[in-house]
Amino acid sequence: GEAWEREREPEGRRAAGGSARGDARAVRRPRPQPTGHRPPARRDPHDTARIKAAKSPAALHRLLAGIEAEGRGPNVVHVSAAVARLGKLSGWKSALGLLRGAERRYGVTPNEYTYNAAISACEKSGEWERAVALLAEMEREGLVPTTISYNAAISA
Protein backbone atom coordinates (compact mmCIF):
# COMPACT_ATOMS: atom_id res chain seq x y z
CA GLY A 1 0.00 0.00 0.00
CA GLU A 2 0.74 3.65 0.04
CA ALA A 3 2.98 5.17 2.71
CA TRP A 4 0.09 7.24 4.06
CA GLU A 5 -2.22 4.26 4.66
CA ARG A 6 -2.76 3.41 8.27
CA GLU A 7 -1.92 -0.05 9.48
CA ARG A 8 -4.73 -1.93 11.16
CA GLU A 9 -4.41 -2.78 14.80
CA PRO A 10 -5.05 -6.30 15.97
CA GLU A 11 -8.70 -7.26 16.65
CA GLY A 12 -9.94 -6.34 20.09
CA ARG A 13 -7.67 -3.31 20.44
CA ARG A 14 -9.17 0.12 20.13
CA ALA A 15 -7.31 2.85 18.32
CA ALA A 16 -7.54 6.33 19.79
CA GLY A 17 -10.66 7.84 18.25
CA GLY A 18 -11.41 4.71 16.22
CA SER A 19 -13.66 1.70 16.58
CA ALA A 20 -12.82 -1.75 17.94
CA ARG A 21 -11.99 -2.84 14.36
CA GLY A 22 -9.19 -0.30 14.27
CA ASP A 23 -10.53 1.84 11.43
CA ALA A 24 -10.91 5.61 11.49
CA ARG A 25 -14.62 5.73 12.39
CA ALA A 26 -15.25 7.50 15.68
CA VAL A 27 -17.50 6.06 18.35
CA ARG A 28 -20.32 8.44 19.26
CA ARG A 29 -21.74 8.30 22.72
CA PRO A 30 -24.82 10.27 23.76
CA ARG A 31 -24.12 13.11 26.14
CA PRO A 32 -25.57 12.65 29.60
CA GLN A 33 -28.56 14.91 30.10
CA PRO A 34 -29.48 16.60 33.37
CA THR A 35 -32.30 14.97 35.31
CA GLY A 36 -35.66 16.22 34.07
CA HIS A 37 -34.22 17.33 30.73
CA ARG A 38 -36.60 17.17 27.82
CA PRO A 39 -35.25 17.59 24.31
CA PRO A 40 -36.72 20.55 22.43
CA ALA A 41 -39.79 19.70 20.38
CA ARG A 42 -39.42 19.77 16.62
CA ARG A 43 -41.10 22.51 14.63
CA ASP A 44 -44.16 21.45 12.69
CA PRO A 45 -44.13 23.05 9.22
CA HIS A 46 -47.93 22.78 9.09
CA ASP A 47 -48.56 25.06 12.09
CA THR A 48 -48.72 28.21 9.98
CA ALA A 49 -51.08 26.59 7.49
CA ARG A 50 -53.36 25.53 10.34
CA ILE A 51 -53.34 29.06 11.73
CA LYS A 52 -54.23 30.52 8.33
CA ALA A 53 -57.11 28.04 8.01
CA ALA A 54 -58.60 28.58 11.48
CA LYS A 55 -62.39 28.91 11.29
CA SER A 56 -62.86 31.09 14.38
CA PRO A 57 -60.88 33.26 16.80
CA ALA A 58 -61.39 30.61 19.50
CA ALA A 59 -59.96 27.90 17.23
CA LEU A 60 -57.02 30.14 16.43
CA HIS A 61 -56.26 30.77 20.10
CA ARG A 62 -56.50 27.01 20.78
CA LEU A 63 -53.94 26.39 18.03
CA LEU A 64 -51.53 28.92 19.52
CA ALA A 65 -52.03 27.44 22.99
CA GLY A 66 -51.36 23.94 21.60
CA ILE A 67 -48.16 25.06 19.91
CA GLU A 68 -47.05 26.67 23.17
CA ALA A 69 -47.97 23.61 25.25
CA GLU A 70 -45.89 21.38 22.98
CA GLY A 71 -42.86 23.60 23.55
CA ARG A 72 -42.65 24.74 19.91
CA GLY A 73 -43.31 28.43 20.25
CA PRO A 74 -45.32 30.14 18.94
CA ASN A 75 -42.76 32.19 17.08
CA VAL A 76 -43.05 35.48 15.19
CA VAL A 77 -44.22 33.69 12.01
CA HIS A 78 -47.08 32.06 13.92
CA VAL A 79 -48.07 35.32 15.62
CA SER A 80 -47.93 37.27 12.36
CA ALA A 81 -50.13 34.69 10.63
CA ALA A 82 -52.51 34.75 13.60
CA VAL A 83 -52.75 38.56 13.54
CA ALA A 84 -53.59 38.40 9.83
CA ARG A 85 -56.17 35.66 10.37
CA LEU A 86 -57.79 37.47 13.30
CA GLY A 87 -58.06 40.57 11.11
CA LYS A 88 -60.08 38.52 8.62
CA LEU A 89 -62.15 36.59 11.16
CA SER A 90 -63.08 39.21 13.71
CA GLY A 91 -61.64 42.56 12.72
CA TRP A 92 -58.96 44.97 13.74
CA LYS A 93 -59.61 44.93 17.50
CA SER A 94 -58.70 41.25 17.86
CA ALA A 95 -55.71 41.63 15.54
CA LEU A 96 -54.37 44.57 17.53
CA GLY A 97 -55.05 42.72 20.78
CA LEU A 98 -52.76 39.89 19.69
CA LEU A 99 -50.15 42.34 18.36
CA ARG A 100 -50.12 44.14 21.73
CA GLY A 101 -50.05 40.95 23.80
CA ALA A 102 -47.58 38.89 21.73
CA GLU A 103 -44.52 39.79 23.76
CA ARG A 104 -46.17 39.40 27.14
CA ARG A 105 -48.09 36.23 26.30
CA TYR A 106 -45.67 34.35 24.02
CA GLY A 107 -42.36 36.17 24.37
CA VAL A 108 -42.56 37.16 20.69
CA THR A 109 -41.46 40.61 19.59
CA PRO A 110 -43.59 41.73 16.64
CA ASN A 111 -41.71 42.43 13.40
CA GLU A 112 -42.59 44.18 10.14
CA TYR A 113 -44.80 41.29 9.03
CA THR A 114 -46.75 41.35 12.28
CA TYR A 115 -47.33 45.09 11.99
CA ASN A 116 -48.25 44.78 8.30
CA ALA A 117 -50.88 42.19 9.23
CA ALA A 118 -52.31 44.53 11.87
CA ILE A 119 -52.27 47.51 9.48
CA SER A 120 -54.06 45.38 6.88
CA ALA A 121 -56.70 44.47 9.47
CA CYS A 122 -57.25 48.18 10.08
CA GLU A 123 -57.40 48.75 6.32
CA LYS A 124 -60.18 46.17 5.90
CA SER A 125 -62.18 47.93 8.62
CA GLY A 126 -61.57 51.46 7.34
CA GLU A 127 -59.62 52.36 10.50
CA TRP A 128 -57.16 54.68 8.78
CA GLU A 129 -56.23 56.58 11.96
CA ARG A 130 -55.18 53.35 13.65
CA ALA A 131 -53.29 52.23 10.54
CA VAL A 132 -51.32 55.49 10.50
CA ALA A 133 -50.70 55.18 14.25
CA LEU A 134 -49.30 51.68 13.69
CA LEU A 135 -46.90 53.07 11.06
CA ALA A 136 -45.61 55.58 13.61
CA GLU A 137 -45.38 52.85 16.25
CA MET A 138 -43.33 50.68 13.90
CA GLU A 139 -40.82 53.47 13.51
CA ARG A 140 -40.66 54.08 17.28
CA GLU A 141 -39.94 50.36 17.71
CA GLY A 142 -37.04 50.63 15.26
CA LEU A 143 -38.83 48.82 12.44
CA VAL A 144 -38.84 50.15 8.90
CA PRO A 145 -42.29 50.29 7.30
CA THR A 146 -42.38 48.61 3.90
CA THR A 147 -44.27 49.43 0.74
CA ILE A 148 -46.93 46.99 1.97
CA SER A 149 -47.20 48.95 5.24
CA TYR A 150 -47.71 52.26 3.45
CA ASN A 151 -50.09 50.86 0.83
CA ALA A 152 -52.31 49.27 3.48
CA ALA A 153 -52.38 52.48 5.53
CA ILE A 154 -53.18 54.60 2.45
CA SER A 155 -55.93 52.19 1.40
CA ALA A 156 -57.56 52.36 4.82
Side-chain angles (χ1 to χ4, degrees):
E2 297 283 328
W4 54 266
E5 283 185 29
R6 187 172 96 141
E7 291 184 16
R8 295 187 76 130
E9 292 184 2
E11 287 292 319
R13 274 190 78 184
R14 179 168 299 223
S19 71
R21 294 191 330 246
D23 60 16
R25 287 183 296 205
V27 176
R28 298 212 183 245
R29 291 187 180 92
R31 290 184 183 168
Q33 297 294 333
T35 306
H37 174 76
R38 201 169 99 189
R42 295 182 60 186
R43 297 243 180 248
D44 185 342
H46 302 291
D47 286 337
T48 305
R50 288 185 194 107
I51 290 168
K52 290 178 179 180
K55 300 290 183 198
S56 69
L60 182 61
H61 287 291
R62 281 193 301 273
L63 280 167
L64 291 174
I67 293 168
E68 183 178 39
E70 292 173 11
R72 296 185 282 119
N75 60 30
V76 72
V77 174
H78 297 135
V79 171
S80 298
V83 168
R85 188 64 182 152
L86 281 172
K88 292 174 184 167
L89 290 171
S90 59
W92 65 271
K93 287 182 183 180
S94 296
L96 260 60
L98 181 55
L99 173 77
R100 301 273 185 255
E103 197 151 8
R104 176 183 41 78
R105 175 72 173 98
Y106 302 113
V108 172
T109 302
N111 65 11
E112 290 88 349
Y113 297 101
T114 318
Y115 274 93
N116 285 349
I119 292 168
S120 292
C122 293
E123 171 198 7
K124 289 171 182 58
S125 302
E127 292 287 329
W128 67 268
E129 291 107 341
R130 292 189 195 284
V132 171
L134 285 170
L135 283 174
E137 184 178 322
M138 281 180 78
E139 291 174 346
R140 280 193 308 275
E141 294 295 323
L143 300 172
V144 179
T146 64
T147 303
I148 294 169
S149 312
Y150 288 117
N151 285 342
I154 290 168
S155 297

